[in-house]
Amino acid sequence: PEGIDYESIDGEKVKIICLLVGPENEPNKHIKFLSLISKLLNQEKIRKSLISAQNAEDVYNTFLSNE
């Protein structure tokens, strides 16, 4: 995928965007999940797997198998 222009600092196009949605009354779950996503996205193997995912199930399986 070529990515989208998001005016990034490095000038590269963005290929992965994460959106977290959760209940307002449980902010700790949001923080824990954000931490997990951050750790996973620091791994090149995970990023490549997400970028090459063909559907939502592929994305889900990437996160599930690397938890």
Side-chain angles (χ1 to χ4, degrees):
E2 70 178 67
I4 59 171
D5 184 11
Y6 201 69
E7 298 182 19
S8 61
I9 294 171
D10 62 5
E12 296 292 319
K13 292 188 175 189
V14 174
K15 296 180 182 170
I16 299 173
I17 296 174
C18 296
L19 170 67
L20 299 179
V21 179
E24 216 176 299
N25 61 344
E26 296 184 55
N28 290 338
K29 286 186 180 182
H30 178 266
I31 299 300
K32 287 180 183 180
F33 192 62
L34 185 58
S35 174
L36 174 61
I37 289 174
S38 176
K39 288 176 186 173
L40 290 172
L41 291 178
N42 275 317
Q43 300 175 45
E44 185 175 359
K45 177 184 101 173
I46 304 295
R47 291 191 308 272
K48 285 183 177 183
S49 180
L50 292 172
I51 291 168
S52 66
Q54 297 296 307
N55 52 47
E57 185 176 357
D58 290 349
V59 172
Y60 177 77
N61 288 332
T62 296
F63 281 118
L64 190 63
S65 65
N66 290 286
E67 214 175 348

